[in-house]
Amino acid sequence: MSKNSPRSVERAAARPATEAPLRKRGAKPRPIVDFPEPRYSLDEDPDGFAAALRAQLDRFGDSIWHLHRALERVHPKFNRRTLLSWAEGDKVPRSVTSMAVLRLIEQRYQLPDGYFHEKLPNKGRAVIGRRIAGIAPAERRRLAWHLPDDFDERSPEERDEIVAWVREVIVSGSTEYRRFQREALKERYGLQFPPLTGRRMWSGRTALRTGTGPTDAPAALTEEVRRLVNFKTATLSAIGYVRNGVWNDYTAAQRAEHLSLFFGALAASPMGATAGHGVPRDHLCLALLAFPSVWDWYVRWRERRRGFFTSWEVNMLSVGVSLVRRETGWLRQSPDLADRLQPIEGIVSAADIAAARADWEAQCEAMYRHGLVRAKEIERVLRIHRDPFEPILPVLEAAKPVAEYLRIADEILKYRPDPDRFPVQAAESTRSFLMIRLGLHLGVRQRNLRELRICPRDETPTGERQLEARRHGEIRWSDRDQGWEVLIPSSAFKNAGSSFFGNKPFRLILLDLGQLYTFIDSYVRRERALLLGRAADPETFFVKTAKRITSDASYNVTTFYDAWRFTIQRYGVFNPYTGRGAIKGLLPHGPHNVRDVLATHILKQTGSYEQASYAIQDTPATVAEHYGRFLPQDKAAMAAAILNQVWEAA
């Protein structure tokens, strides 16, 4: 009978005012105790979150209903059914409110901070439901993993401090060069060329990524650049032309990108942030590269933009000099390019153009001499803007850099989710783990690592000649050595002509250390297919996580760099606010830095540049110039270790 029914109202009216209200039937609820005493001790701590929660409920004599009563004083809107779904294993905490409730349960049962959080099946999942004023949802998703669980409970000053630190250190990277790059990217000025070769590498780049908006290069300039690329990449040079050296696809892409920046600077408005020269785009042509005045404007423009000269200007001048060199320079052998020259105010006059057309050979010779002189002058005053060692300096300063860097792989496994419940996320963790591990084992460049092909155990490995023709390496099972083998033909390396190779392939048997084989087998058998989804298989070992619109699951130079950098941001950089991250002082970086780690590690252990060169397939001179961070104190320590033996023996 309803309490508002006529009969109930009638009885209530008839009851004397002094009569006590009717009591509810049943047992009286237990009083709420803030810190109940445990009924017994757990002999064995359960592994899973749901099992641990049920065990603690039973240990303290709590029911779901009673625990909810204790919690609703702080979180009155928290649903009791949510607690029930946690205990039954149907759901796990993920929202900001759920994490706050989890901490209250830990406090109620006097458990260590993070006791339940460590037992979640996917510790690598970011907390959802944060509302940070002034931050768009897209950036909020990027920041979510790097914010502490109690972020919303902290003071506004602390929240602002944390967000500023994450933006500066983790997202952007706090080096001087990264700050310059971040500002430079706000105003992109490069022209955009279409694919200039029919080869696969261009399809993944969608031309050059240096321009946005309506910055396509004019058709005439594009055709000239296409002629240059064809000249330098063709198997056989055209009749009547002589060349010195051949570009591979990657060198061609780099040269074309440099040209896009060169002509983009000339075409940019002088009134904008780029402060270019405002040359009409239809006046741009490769013949301008034969004029010293054009090069002088460009290198001085770059100096004003950056504040000093760098090796970039020297390298660009070297390219310009090679194009006008006697006998083999393409510009020198193409006098017809001068027909498209147009005067540029303050740089190239009509008289200059007339003189160049009259004697193209002399014009190219003048540029050749000028380029050599300018390059030497800039070499004397150039500065290093990007210190490649800066992001990984804490690793290089460690006694054993490889062991220090390996902590990142351990951190990945620490937050690897349950593969049965979160299969795709677990596969992504395995991929990140194998990126770090194979990078440390092989010491190859980014391109060789991302293009590494896969041959499962039960399939026949690709022949060496086929790999050489494709210029790709392969990881496959070796029945002879009973281990995973990596074979990369020398033609696949950037320094294929180095004395290190001697026209022989690079071959390495990976040792089964630190569960390496376990994760390779799991990745090859099951997890790689989960990442591919319905996308076409590029037959490379590392593949992207395919989305609904993904047609190409292969990595290119940009996406592989981003994947590595993302791994370092999440698992490598120590975050003092969350306690996550393996290495204090580490900054985000790309896969190329692994070569610095390997070279420096061997230098610290042996003092030999030659042995260090073996680890990264290069020469001792290259290691000494580019890769090994052999600090003076390391040299002194090695010498002291030898000298101290005299005193120990005395």
Side-chain angles (χ1 to χ4, degrees):
M1 181 183 296
S2 172
K3 65 179 181 179
N4 294 323
S5 65
R7 186 175 296 179
S8 299
V9 174
E10 201 174 292
R11 287 179 179 177
R15 187 183 302 121
T18 57
E19 185 178 337
L22 297 177
R23 292 183 178 179
K24 295 182 179 180
R25 296 179 180 180
K28 184 178 181 180
R30 280 195 302 147
I32 301 297
V33 179
D34 289 336
F35 304 106
E37 292 295 327
R39 299 187 302 167
Y40 57 86
S41 298
L42 288 176
D43 295 331
E44 189 173 339
D45 191 21
D47 290 332
F49 168 72
L53 180 58
R54 291 194 302 268
Q56 295 298 337
L57 285 169
D58 186 71
R59 177 175 172 238
F60 286 90
D62 270 353
S63 65
I64 293 292
W65 183 81
H66 187 73
L67 177 60
H68 181 260
R69 285 186 60 218
L71 297 173
E72 67 179 353
R73 293 178 300 171
V74 180
H75 288 279
K77 295 183 179 180
F78 190 73
N79 197 322
R80 178 169 54 88
R81 292 185 177 180
T82 301
L83 281 176
L84 184 61
S85 68
W86 290 358
E88 293 178 346
D90 296 331
K91 294 182 180 180
V92 292
R94 191 184 174 192
S95 68
V96 172
T97 302
S98 295
M99 291 301 177
V101 168
L102 213 58
R103 288 194 295 275
L104 285 177
I105 298 175
E106 291 171 349
Q107 293 170 10
R108 174 176 172 78
Y109 296 151
Q110 302 181 58
L111 299 171
D113 290 341
Y115 171 82
F116 286 118
H117 188 276
E118 287 300 312
K119 296 182 180 297
L120 293 176
N122 191 357
K123 298 188 291 293
R125 177 180 282 181
V127 174
I128 61 174
R130 300 193 191 281
R131 301 188 181 279
I132 310 174
I135 298 181
E139 185 182 8
R140 194 158 60 236
R141 287 192 295 271
R142 289 195 298 270
L143 298 178
W145 166 260
H146 307 287
L147 303 180
D149 291 343
D150 62 347
F151 177 83
D152 290 350
E153 302 169 21
R154 301 199 180 198
S155 66
E157 293 77 17
E158 283 185 294
R159 293 200 296 267
D160 291 343
E161 174 189 319
I162 294 171
V163 170
W165 184 88
V166 172
R167 281 172 165 171
E168 180 70 13
V169 176
I170 294 182
V171 177
S172 300
S174 59
T175 65
E176 179 187 352
Y177 178 75
R178 291 292 300 177
R179 288 191 288 270
F180 164 80
Q181 193 178 45
R182 185 169 66 245
E183 293 301 317
L185 287 175
K186 293 179 181 178
E187 184 69 26
R188 300 188 176 188
Y189 59 89
L191 300 180
Q192 196 166 32
F193 291 112
L196 299 177
T197 74
R199 301 174 187 177
R200 180 176 175 273
M201 65 153 295
W202 287 95
S203 62
R205 295 176 64 109
T206 315
L208 300 175
R209 297 178 178 269
T210 52
T212 56
T215 56
D216 290 343
L221 178 62
T222 298
E223 180 57 31
E224 291 178 352
V225 175
R226 188 187 302 279
R227 286 174 54 189
L228 170 61
V229 170
N230 289 342
F231 168 77
K232 294 297 290 185
T233 59
T235 303
L236 300 176
S237 58
I239 296 176
Y241 284 85
V242 181
R243 66 183 179 186
N244 180 24
V246 179
W247 292 347
N248 58 30
D249 288 341
Y250 302 93
T251 304
Q254 184 187 62
R255 296 290 185 261
E257 190 166 0
H258 291 172
L259 290 174
S260 80
L261 297 175
F262 183 98
F263 289 109
L266 284 171
S269 170
M271 307 303 295
T274 303
H277 197 74
V279 178
R281 293 199 307 147
D282 58 349
H283 288 187
L284 300 174
C285 61
L286 288 185
L288 291 173
L289 300 178
F291 287 84
S293 56
V294 174
W295 281 99
D296 267 16
W297 179 88
Y298 183 62
V299 296
R300 294 180 191 278
W301 174 83
R302 289 192 63 88
E303 181 199 19
R304 291 194 302 272
R305 181 177 174 84
R306 189 164 288 187
F308 47 85
F309 288 114
T310 68
S311 59
W312 173 287
E313 289 75 53
V314 176
N315 294 336
M316 280 295 293
L317 282 167
S318 299
V319 173
V321 166
S322 69
L323 292 176
V324 294
R325 186 179 286 117
R326 297 188 192 95
E327 296 183 359
T328 59
W330 180 75
L331 273 179
R332 200 157 187 156
Q333 298 176 77
S334 307
D336 60 294
L337 296 174
D339 295 341
R340 290 194 55 244
L341 285 169
Q342 297 288 339
I344 299 176
E345 184 179 354
I347 299 180
V348 179
S349 65
D352 295 333
I353 294 174
R357 288 173 177 169
D359 194 344
W360 185 247
E361 187 79 14
Q363 181 67 41
C364 290
E365 183 63 26
M367 175 59 215
Y368 180 78
R369 292 195 300 268
H370 175 82
L372 293 177
V373 172
R374 275 287 184 267
K376 290 182 179 179
E377 290 177 336
I378 293 175
E379 278 182 344
R380 287 197 293 266
V381 296
L382 65 80
R383 287 171 51 188
I384 297 176
H385 196 183
R386 184 184 72 87
D387 181 0
F389 299 120
E390 187 174 1
I392 57 170
L393 202 55
V395 176
L396 302 184
E397 291 177 343
K400 296 181 178 180
V402 170
E404 185 74 5
Y405 201 84
L406 191 58
R407 292 172 55 198
I408 301 174
D410 297 335
E411 187 81 358
I412 295 171
L413 295 185
K414 178 181 176 181
Y415 291 98
R416 184 173 182 262
D418 182 352
D420 295 326
R421 188 160 185 173
F422 303 97
V424 175
Q425 292 87 339
E428 291 174 336
S429 293
T430 301
R431 179 183 60 197
S432 297
F433 171 80
L434 291 175
M435 279 185 179
I436 300 295
R437 287 295 303 272
L438 291 185
L440 287 172
H441 282 289
L442 302 178
V444 296
R445 290 177 174 83
Q446 189 229 83
R447 173 200 158 199
N448 301 116
L449 190 59
R450 66 180 159 85
E451 290 185 347
L452 195 66
R453 302 172 69 83
I454 174 61
C455 177
R457 285 198 187 207
D458 55 348
E459 295 184 13
T460 304
T462 308
E464 289 188 25
R465 289 193 177 184
Q466 290 177 280
L467 292 176
E468 188 172 356
R470 295 172 177 174
R471 291 194 293 183
H472 291 171
E474 184 176 81
I475 179 170
R476 67 270 196 95
W477 182 258
S478 173
D479 291 325
R480 183 185 65 184
D481 297 291
Q482 286 299 295
W484 284 101
E485 173 192 63
V486 174
L487 180 70
I488 307 177
S490 59
S491 61
F493 288 89
K494 178 182 178 181
N495 57 331
S498 170
S499 59
F500 174 86
F501 296 104
N503 294 325
K504 299 294 190 299
F506 169 84
R507 179 178 179 270
L508 181 69
I509 297 295
L510 301 172
L511 299 180
D512 188 12
L513 303 172
Q515 298 181 284
L516 181 61
Y517 280 21
T518 300
F519 285 102
I520 290 179
D521 290 334
S522 171
Y523 180 77
V524 173
R525 282 198 314 265
R526 184 172 65 94
E527 295 178 316
R528 184 175 174 277
L530 291 173
L531 297 176
L532 276 175
R534 298 181 179 179
D537 189 350
E539 299 181 358
T540 53
F541 185 78
F542 294 112
V543 293
K544 295 189 295 186
T545 307
K547 309 300 184 196
R548 289 183 179 180
I549 59 174
T550 302
S551 59
D552 185 5
S554 62
Y555 281 107
N556 60 39
V557 61
T558 303
T559 54
F560 193 82
Y561 176 90
D562 290 341
W564 191 288
R565 182 180 172 84
F566 176 80
T567 299
I568 301 303
Q569 287 175 328
R570 174 165 284 204
Y571 304 108
V573 180
F574 177 75
N575 186 332
Y577 302 102
T578 65
R580 293 192 286 260
I583 303 172
K584 290 183 179 180
L586 190 72
L587 294 174
H589 56 270
H592 200 76
N593 283 110
V594 172
R595 292 165 62 80
D596 303 321
V597 174
L598 292 172
T600 303
H601 180 94
I602 294 179
L603 282 174
K604 283 176 174 282
Q605 303 303 311
T606 67
S608 170
Y609 284 104
E610 184 174 3
Q611 292 189 47
S613 71
Y614 297 160
I616 59 173
Q617 311 88 44
D618 226 312
T619 62
T622 303
V623 171
E625 184 176 359
H626 296 292
Y627 292 109
R629 186 62 174 252
F630 203 23
L631 301 176
Q633 58 265 33
D634 300 324
K635 301 175 184 178
M638 292 189 71
I642 297 174
L643 295 174
N644 289 342
Q645 294 176 6
V646 176
W647 304 103
E648 292 172 359

